[in-house]
Amino acid sequence: MPPVFAPPVPFPYALPSSCEGYQLAMPNSAFAAKIVRDFVGALLRTGAHAGLADDARLCVSEVVSNVYCHTRSELVRVEVLVGREEVAVHVTNDHTGPLPEPLVRPEGEGGRGLLVVNGLAASWGSSTRKVKTRRTKTVWFVLTEPEPEPKPDCRVGAAEPGNETRPDAAQAPAQAPAPH
């Protein structure tokens, strides 16, 4: 899925008002990715989206690591919006550099973090906005629960052509063979 570059608005992706929001701000340090990864994992594992916890941990770790490696922002701010059917995560920093893009050559030594986000998220993007006297940059992603796979019909012979059961046949009593 190609990235979506959202317009510069406070929260590029809005969840329904029935969502719960959680925020965390911390110094931009080598430990920030682990702290945020654990924060997001704990939020999701204790709620209705435990199945998204590992993907969310990986995605947020990649995005926060990019802030540490590629910006001089003093703070990293994370907002997690947990909705009924999806989870949105916003990672904001105070760096005024260009908006991030996935690496064109994934075989290089680094720069695959946004490719990971692109592969796991239902959508993602980035935006900038001016807050008072500073400009902020936000990278956001949305995760949704995967569609449940249909359960196979495990009855013996059920999948074989010609073995379809008529609804009325299943209710008919078994008859003994007629005597010869």
Side-chain angles (χ1 to χ4, degrees), residues 31-126:
F31 303 106
K34 181 190 181 335
I35 293 167
V36 173
R37 185 173 54 239
D38 291 347
F39 170 71
V40 170
L43 282 176
L44 297 182
R45 282 196 180 101
T46 58
H49 294 295
L52 294 177
D54 289 338
D55 288 353
R57 285 171 45 92
L58 181 55
C59 289
V60 78
S61 182
E62 293 293 345
V63 175
V64 172
S65 292
N66 282 348
V67 173
Y68 177 70
C69 292
H70 302 294
T71 76
R72 292 187 177 140
S73 180
E74 291 183 22
L75 287 176
V76 177
R77 289 178 297 287
V78 177
E79 181 173 23
V80 182
L81 300 171
V82 182
R84 190 168 303 197
E85 298 179 9
E86 57 195 5
V87 174
V89 178
H90 302 100
V91 177
T92 302
N93 67 76
D94 298 329
H95 184 66
T96 58
L99 293 173
E101 295 182 33
L103 192 63
V104 178
R105 295 180 10 198
E107 67 276 0
E109 285 204 22
R112 289 185 290 276
L114 290 178
L115 291 174
V116 170
V117 173
N118 189 54
L120 294 174
S123 60
W124 75 275
S126 60

